[in-house]
Amino acid sequence: MATKKVIGSKPSESFQLQDPNTWICITESESDVVIEVGEMSFHLHKLPLINRSGTLKKLINESSEDDGKQCIIQMDDIPGGPEAFELAARFCYDVRLELNAANIVPLRCAAEHLGMTEEFGEGNLVEQTESFLSDALGNWNDAVRALHACDAVLPDAEDLHVVQRCIDSLATKACADPTLFGWPMLEYYTAKHLEETVVWNGISTAGKLRSPGPDWWYKEASSLRLPVYKRLVTAMRSRGMAPENIAGSLTHYARRHLSGLSRHSGYGGDGSSRGAGASTGTAVLSDGEQRVVLEEIVALLPAETGVATTRFLIGLLRTATVLHASAACRDALERRAGNQLEEAALEDLLIPNTGYSTETLYDVDCVQRMLEQFVMESTSAAFASSPEITDEGQLVDAPSAELMPVSTVAKLVDGYLAEVGTDTNLKLSKFQTIAALVPDYARSLDDGLYRAIDIYLKAHPWLTDSEREQLCRLMNCQKLSLEACTHAAQNERLPLRVVVQVLFFEQLRLRTTVAGWFFVSDNVDQGSSSDNCVLPRRSSDLDFAQEGSEDEEADAARHAELSSAMSVEEIRQRVTELEDECSSMRQEIHRLGKPKGALSRLFQKLGFGGKSSRQRQQQQLLPGSRDKRRKSVDLGC
C-alpha cells in the first residue's frame, strides 16, 4: 500500500484559496506579510513564519527595516513553486496536511530552502519530511513516484542526495528475490491479487501469493527519464544483477520510447499490440531524442552474447538506420547481431534501404557485414573448441552441435538470396560475394542455393553466358537432390555446360547405386547357393550357441532365410526403379537436342548414344549383370 501521513492539528478550512491567485489564512488578526511565489500571493502573519523558518525570518526582518509598511517578500526561487510553499505555510500554522510520495520530495527541498530546521522548533519540517521520505523509500511504487518528483526540483534534490537514495532503493529491491522476504515489493501485484480474491461467507478462497517473474520491475523502470534510468541500470549492474535481466529491461525501455522499433516489432512496452508514446502514457520523442535514446541503450547493453535477442538487435539496427545514428552505434549492433545470426529469421534480415542514393531495395551491405562477422566468429570458435582441426575443410567432420549454427545460417542466407534476387538492381558481384561467404561444409544440399540462383537468373535475363556460368559455379552439382537435378535438366535459364554437368554427376550417382545394389545381390546369391560360404564364428559365439537350445537355432535359421528372400525382392524392385530413371533421363537428353561434335562424343561416353548403345553400355559398366540379376531373381523365387 502507498505510504501516507497526516500532520497538523488545525482544520484545513482555516487555510483557504480566496481567488485563483491568492491564499489567505483565516485568524483573528489581519495579515501583515505577503509572500509572492510566482503568480501566487500568500497573505500570512509574521509570527508563525519566523518561528519556523530561518530564511523567512531573515527576509522579514530585512523588509521591515526598509519602510515600516506591510512586508512583501518575493520568493520565485523556492523549490516546488507555489504548491510546495503552500504545504510549508500550512505546517507553520499547524494546519493539517497530507504527506505522500508525490509531494514529499518538493516539500523536503522547500523545507531545506526555507531553513525549517530543529533550530527553529523541535519536530520541524525538515525532520518530518526526512522521516517520511525514509519510510516511503521502503516501498517500490512510492520510491518510483518520489524519483519522478525529483525531476521538478532536480538541482536541490541532487544536493540533498534524494535522487541517489531513490535509485539505490530501487536497485536493491530489483536485485533482491521477492520470494525470500515477507514484504510485498509490488503494489500493483498485491492489489491485482486482492482483486482476484473471492470471498465466500467471509472466507477468502485465494491461495498463496504467486511469485512475480524477473521482469516485474520493467514497466515502472521504463517510465523514468533516460539520465535517471541510466543511473538505475548502472546501480543494478554494480549489485550483481544478471545480464539477461538488464538486457530485458533495456529491451522494454527501447520498445516503449522508440516508435520505429515498436512499429516493426508489433508490440509496445508491455507486450501488447500498440505503438510507443500515446498508448504508453509517455510523450512522443522527436527523432533527435530517439536517436540519443537508441545510442545510450546500445552502450548500456551487456557485453555477453545472447542476452538480447537477435530480432531485437536487428530491430535496433533498422531503427538506427532510419534515425541516422552514429556509425559506431551501427557497427556495434552489426557485430552483436552477427555473433548470433543463427537466431535470426528471414524477415529480420530484410532491412530496407532508406537513403536516396541507394540502388537496391534492401540493405544488402549490412547483411553482408553481419554474415562476415558470423563466419569469422564461428570459425574461430570451432578452431578453439577443437585444437586438432587445422584446416577449414576438416570442419566437415566436426561434431554436429558445432555445425548446426553454421548450417542454420546457410539456409537463412539461401532464403535471403532468393528474396533479394528478384531485385533487378542487385549486382551479380554482390550476389556472388554473399553466397560465397557461406562455407562449403555448411550446406549438406545445394538445393536452396540453386533456387536462389534460378530466381536471380529469371530476374536478370540480360546476363551473358559467361556471367551465367560464373554464377552457377557457386553451387556444387554433386550436392543437388534428385528433384533439383530433374528441375535443372529442364531449366532453359541454365547454361548448357551446367545442364550437362548435372546430368553427368547424376549418371555417376546412378551407376554407383546400381553397382552397389548388384554387389549386395551377388553376396546374397552366393550365401544362399553355397553351403561352404559361411563366415566362421568366434569361440565365444560357439560357446554361446552350444549353451542355447535347438529351438533357438531353428528360429534363427528361419529368420535368416526370410531376410535373404526380402533382400532379393527389394533389390529387384530397386533395379526396376533405377532403369525407369535412366530411361527418363535419356528422354530429357534427347529433348534438349542431339549434340554435335565433341559433345556427341561426350554423350556417347556417358552412355547416351541411342537405342543401339543400351546393351553395349550395360555390358561395359556391369559385365554379366543381366545374368546375375536373373540368377538373383530365380533364387528369390
Side-chain angles (χ1 to χ4, degrees), residues 51-52 117-124 127:
N51 288 338
R52 286 292 187 178
T117 61
E118 295 300 296
E119 182 182 353
F120 296 90
E122 184 179 357
N124 209 344
E127 181 183 357

Side-chain angles (χ1 to χ4, degrees), residues 306-348:
V307 294
T309 62
T310 307
R311 182 179 186 184
F312 171 67
L313 294 174
I314 297 180
L316 285 180
L317 181 58
R318 183 193 304 261
T319 308
T321 304
V322 175
L323 297 176
H324 304 288
S326 64
C329 176
R330 296 196 298 269
D331 291 343
L333 287 172
E334 288 177 359
R335 287 195 303 271
R336 297 180 68 97
N339 289 336
Q340 51 192 62
L341 193 60
E342 72 276 6
E343 300 176 2
L346 177 57
E347 60 180 5
D348 298 332

Side-chain angles (χ1 to χ4, degrees), residues 87-276:
L87 297 177
R90 286 174 179 268
F91 180 81
C92 293
Y93 284 89
D94 197 27
V95 177
R96 284 197 296 267
L97 68 132
E98 181 184 89
L99 301 179
N100 53 52
N103 62 23
I104 188 59
V105 175
L107 187 56
R108 172 67 180 87
C109 296
E112 189 71 24
H113 182 81
L114 293 173
M116 302 177 71
T117 61
E118 295 300 296
E119 182 182 353
F120 296 90
E122 184 179 357
N124 209 344
L125 189 57
V126 170
E127 181 183 357
Q128 294 281 358
T129 54
E130 186 65 29
S131 175
F132 180 82
L133 181 60
S134 299
D135 295 338
L137 293 181
N139 182 282
W140 170 269
N141 283 350
D142 285 341
V144 172
R145 282 193 286 268
L147 190 55
H148 279 293
C150 292
D151 295 340
V153 290
L154 196 56
D156 298 271
E158 289 284 5
D159 294 339
L160 297 174
H161 306 288
V162 177
V163 177
Q164 191 60 44
R165 290 169 60 188
C166 293
I167 291 175
D168 292 339
S169 175
L170 294 176
T172 302
K173 291 177 175 60
C175 293
D177 186 357
T179 61
L180 301 180
F181 304 95
W183 43 271
M185 295 175 61
L186 285 172
E187 184 175 288
Y188 78 90
Y189 174 76
T190 54
K192 180 181 179 181
H193 179 77
L194 292 175
E195 291 175 359
E196 296 176 352
T197 301
V198 179
V199 179
W200 181 77
N201 288 345
I203 302 176
S204 174
T205 60
K208 70 175 183 178
L209 288 172
R210 295 165 299 181
S211 175
D215 59 345
W216 62 267
W217 55 275
Y218 290 179
K219 183 177 180 180
E220 284 74 17
S222 65
S223 64
L224 300 174
R225 293 186 307 109
L226 180 62
V228 179
Y229 177 75
K230 285 174 55 181
R231 295 171 60 179
L232 178 62
V233 171
T234 303
M236 291 177 177
R237 181 178 285 129
S238 64
R239 284 168 170 76
M241 174 169 283
E244 293 79 8
N245 292 345
I246 294 178
S249 176
L250 291 168
T251 302
H252 195 103
Y253 194 92
R255 286 169 178 162
R256 179 167 184 169
H257 295 278
L258 300 178
S259 57
L261 183 64
S262 300
R263 285 194 298 267
H264 170 64
S265 58
Y267 46 86
D270 60 352
S272 59
S273 179
R274 64 186 185 186

Side-chain angles (χ1 to χ4, degrees), residues 572-583:
R572 183 170 58 182
Q573 182 179 359
R574 180 58 178 167
V575 168
T576 303
E577 294 176 357
L578 293 176
E579 287 183 345
D580 294 339
E581 292 177 2
C582 287
S583 177

Side-chain angles (χ1 to χ4, degrees), residues 394-429:
Q394 299 178 5
L395 290 174
V396 181
D397 301 328
S400 58
E402 298 179 4
L403 296 180
M404 185 177 298
V406 185
S407 301
T408 303
V409 172
K411 296 179 181 178
L412 183 65
V413 171
D414 292 344
Y416 178 78
L417 290 175
E419 288 291 333
V420 300
T422 57
D423 189 355
T424 56
N425 293 326
L426 181 62
K427 296 181 179 179
L428 175 63
S429 59

